[in-house]
Amino acid sequence: PAPSLSNRVIISNVARNHGYPIVEAAASAGYLKKFITSIYYKPDSRLGQALHGLARRAGPRSQSRLELRRSPLVPDDKVVDIPLPELLEEGINQLGARMGIDTRTAAYLKCEVFDWLVANRHMEPCTIFHGFEQCSLFSFRRARAAGAITVLDQPVIHRTTLERIEREERSRHGVPAPAAKPFWFDQHIERKSRELALTDYAFGGLSYVKETMVENGFPAERVFVIPYGADIGAYRPIARPPRPGFNILYAGPLNFWKGLPY
């Protein structure tokens, strides 16, 4: 590895999503100093054994989900797990389901708590601090104060463009905006803007993500498009006879900016 990056990169993400391949690549190159995340399964630790026991009682689905929170390519001693924020979110979601209340704020709270704990308890000197959208504001402040380069993983289009598309599509289809927003929604959106203001570079999975960031003032030379990969050995076309009609299955959030009416 390059001397300036050897054991000098910290990656922080409250969720799993596409963060694990990035951590695996950094570990393989010798760059990874620390991976900070929420729930991470370490079978030999006391917490890992406790989580395994809880998941086993909850059923096969929970066991499978827990086992996915681990990468055999990353040494356990390189991973710092902070389960509290995600357990807090899960508890709020379960309580809200019983009481019939809006629990979307739980995700905002999870990100806020995780970010605060990373910044105040787990920040160390590093050359690069790689954070993810929604959970990097406090961390970026600490990292920049220590002289680190900040990198933001930006998985969605710029919020300003997103809101414009939402307004235009609602007007086009005659659908009014929701009467009420989740609690803490405005602070959540403001957090995204502040993270962008504190990042030196940004990664996006699509060229359109970069386009929207540039059109809203982020320097083009500081945004890098890194397409998300897929295991082509796990997915392949299957032979089947012709059939009438054409059906599409969509799995994702029900938003106008996803182009669902089309």
Side-chain angles (χ1 to χ4, degrees):
S4 60
L5 290 182
S6 180
N7 199 40
R8 296 289 297 176
V9 175
I10 295 178
I11 301 174
S12 174
N13 187 14
V14 71
R16 183 184 189 278
N17 49 44
H18 61 282
Y20 280 29
I22 296 173
V23 174
E24 291 166 354
S28 175
Y31 298 157
L32 184 66
K33 179 172 188 176
K34 185 190 298 186
F35 172 42
I36 312 171
T37 188
S38 51
I39 291 177
Y40 190 86
Y41 181 41
K42 298 180 181 180
D44 297 330
S45 70
R46 290 183 179 180
L47 178 59
Q49 293 168 5
L51 290 172
H52 184 264
L54 291 172
R56 185 172 55 188
R57 283 195 288 272
R61 182 173 179 271
S62 293
Q63 280 187 270
S64 177
R65 288 179 63 194
L66 178 62
E67 290 168 0
L68 286 173
R69 292 298 187 93
R70 176 176 178 77
S71 170
L73 303 179
V74 180
D76 280 355
D77 61 0
K78 293 279 188 179
V79 181
V80 175
D81 48 335
I82 311 174
L84 175 62
E86 195 165 351
L87 294 175
L88 183 64
E89 178 192 34
E90 183 66 21
I92 294 174
N93 284 336
Q94 291 188 12
L95 180 63
R98 294 194 188 100
M99 299 178 65
I101 59 177
D102 188 344
T103 61
R104 286 176 290 179
T105 300
Y108 311 156
L109 179 61
K110 172 186 68 175
C111 293
E112 200 85 3
V113 172
F114 176 82
D115 188 20
W116 187 90
L117 289 171
V118 172
N120 289 280
R121 297 189 179 180
H122 300 286
M123 186 63 67
E124 294 181 12
C126 59
T127 300
I128 294 176
F129 184 91
H130 182 146
F132 283 65
E133 188 206 35
Q134 299 183 10
C135 61
S136 299
L137 176 60
F138 306 144
S139 307
F140 276 0
R141 287 174 180 166
R142 282 295 180 92
R144 287 174 66 92
I149 297 169
T150 52
V151 176
L152 181 68
D153 216 289
Q154 177 79 13
V156 296
I157 62 177
H158 194 280
R159 186 73 199 186
T160 302
T161 301
L162 184 152
E163 291 178 346
R164 174 180 58 77
I165 293 173
E166 184 82 4
R167 288 193 304 270
E168 292 173 353
E169 291 301 308
R170 285 184 177 276
S171 176
R172 182 175 290 114
H173 295 281
V175 179
K181 298 176 182 177
F183 178 71
W184 220 358
F185 178 81
D186 290 335
Q187 292 89 334
H188 167 66
I189 299 304
E190 179 63 21
R191 162 178 273 270
K192 294 173 182 282
S193 298
R194 290 182 177 180
E195 286 174 342
L196 278 175
L198 290 172
T199 188
D200 294 307
Y201 300 97
F203 290 168
L206 299 169
S207 58
Y208 185 53
V209 171
K210 177 174 181 176
E211 290 174 18
T212 63
M213 292 181 69
V214 173
E215 73 181 17
N216 286 285
F218 200 88
E221 66 276 10
R222 289 166 49 196
V223 189
F224 296 87
V225 178
I226 304 177
Y228 301 135
D231 182 357
I232 59 175
Y235 304 96
R236 61 187 183 278
I238 60 174
R240 59 187 176 191
R243 55 186 175 178
F246 180 68
N247 299 316
I248 295 175
L249 170 65
Y250 170 77
L254 303 179
N255 296 316
F256 278 97
W257 51 271
K258 287 289 187 181
L260 296 185
Y262 305 102

